[in-house]
Amino acid sequence: MQTFLQNQYEATILIVDDTPANLEVLATMLKARGYQIRIAPSGRLALQFVARTQPDLILLDISMPDMDGYEVCRRLKEHETWRSIPVIFISALNNTQGKLRSFAAGGVDYITKPFHCAEVEARVETHIKLNLYQRYLEVMIEKKACELAQAQEKVARAEKISIVGVMSAGIAHEINQPLNAIKLISSNLVLSHAEGRKRDISEYVDNMKEISRQADRIKDSIEHLRAFIRNDRKHLHSLNLNAVIGNVLRIVGKQLNSHGIRITLSLQKDLADIWATTTGLETVLINLLINSMHALGTLEPSDRSITVKTYMNRDIILEVMDNGPGIASELRTRIFEPFVSAQNSADNLGLGLAIANNIISSYKGRIELVSGAESRTVFRVIFPVGKEA
């Protein structure tokens, strides 16, 4: 910080006045203090100078022909790049109305003629330092914002990896069944050949067809995981919500069952399609299901239950309800904020619901905590209908 402020003695000051004597007095005075001085005898020349090189401070005379100081200051403040340059007005008038008008125009201070060297030097030094402090703080804020964004990105990636882990485990279960089928068919063929049993060619064809079908199931599961990792959130398309729910439960249902959780489905038939992405919807639903799974950890396995429900009014509604202990009242209004979690565990980053909220918002929908106390938690996701939403 000290190194940064030492630059005050190299600061550039633009003095704008149509009176040569005033220019000379101020220039001589401030050069002696180590400032770089530039002069402009009119408002138009001052604006031309600022367009080429931005000074650190402007001393601006109010009473000038053609364009007065108020107009010059107004134009400076209208320009996005120039508006941060501090302007100290200079005037022979020492009245309250003139000072108020100067501050209203965007000036930071007011100096009256004839000049008092000590006063001018003190005011200039003060505003040079304030300007440098402001610039320093802006740099530090930008730096800290970048560091925070990088930290949040790392945590978000960790959350994504966690979800991918859930998907991978589910798909591993899903792949086992077709692999076992392929192994059984192949073993029977090898055994038949070893025992010298003759088989009709059509039987061999049927066995090869079944092996091919089971291999396609494995390929589809792997492609599903690849698509999830690639993240297709930017490519919205028409989707059936019930079909996505069925697909997610096919993948992660075994994990939920392994925790003793009963899944109850209440899905309205003939739902209109929603405009979304498969990856995004699966991310939202997996987050809600995993949150419920964690919440149910305190209950006996025989008591654990999750209900997934869809229905339609003007919108399409998805509800995920569990019979866990609920969410503490102090967390309910903040539950969709980043790093807020109802679960106290080292591996819970508190980003799942924040990510789900962002995804649903990108579909122009919304997600709500309908209830969160007295042994029940219900999350409601509301989707607009169709592509036009």
Side-chain angles (χ1 to χ4, degrees), residues 258-312:
S258 70
H259 284 77
I261 297 172
R262 298 186 312 278
I263 303 294
T264 301
L265 296 180
S266 177
L267 309 181
Q268 179 178 321
K269 296 181 179 179
D270 303 322
L271 279 180
D273 285 354
I274 59 176
W275 195 246
T277 68
T278 303
T279 299
L281 281 182
E282 288 180 351
T283 299
V284 170
L285 188 55
I286 289 172
N287 268 310
L288 294 177
L289 291 172
I290 297 303
N291 277 352
S292 291
M293 183 182 76
H294 290 156
L296 293 170
T298 58
L299 302 183
E300 292 297 323
S302 59
D303 297 330
R304 298 171 186 174
S305 173
I306 296 176
T307 299
V308 180
K309 181 178 181 181
T310 60
Y311 57 94
M312 186 172 176

Side-chain angles (χ1 to χ4, degrees), residues 94-219:
N94 188 12
N95 57 67
T96 301
Q97 185 177 358
K99 293 179 181 179
L100 291 176
R101 187 178 177 187
S102 298
F103 291 126
V108 297
D109 211 335
Y110 189 95
I111 296 175
T112 56
K113 304 174 186 176
F115 304 121
H116 299 283
C117 291
E119 179 186 5
V120 173
E121 291 170 0
R123 291 178 185 270
V124 166
E125 183 177 357
T126 296
H127 290 291
I128 289 289
K129 282 185 176 180
L130 287 174
N131 190 35
L132 287 169
Y133 272 118
Q134 181 177 339
R135 284 159 52 190
Y136 172 78
L137 290 174
E138 288 171 355
V139 169
M140 293 304 297
I141 289 170
E142 184 176 355
K143 180 182 177 182
K144 292 299 181 184
C146 288
E147 290 174 355
L148 178 60
Q150 290 172 357
Q152 289 177 335
E153 184 180 352
K154 287 180 181 178
V155 177
R157 282 201 301 269
E159 183 75 19
K160 177 69 174 179
I161 290 170
S162 175
I163 294 295
V164 170
V166 172
M167 289 287 290
S168 300
I171 285 175
H173 283 292
E174 186 68 16
I175 287 175
N176 279 335
Q177 186 177 350
L179 277 177
N180 288 331
I182 290 172
K183 182 179 179 181
L184 180 61
I185 295 169
S186 302
S187 297
N188 285 337
L189 289 173
V190 171
L191 182 61
S192 296
H193 178 73
E195 293 176 348
R197 283 184 285 162
K198 292 184 178 181
R199 286 185 159 192
D200 188 80
I201 189 65
S202 62
E203 189 176 351
Y204 282 104
V205 171
D206 289 341
N207 282 329
M208 291 303 105
K209 286 181 178 178
E210 182 61 20
I211 288 174
S212 178
R213 190 178 73 82
Q214 297 296 341
D216 285 340
R217 284 182 61 186
I218 295 172
K219 180 181 176 232

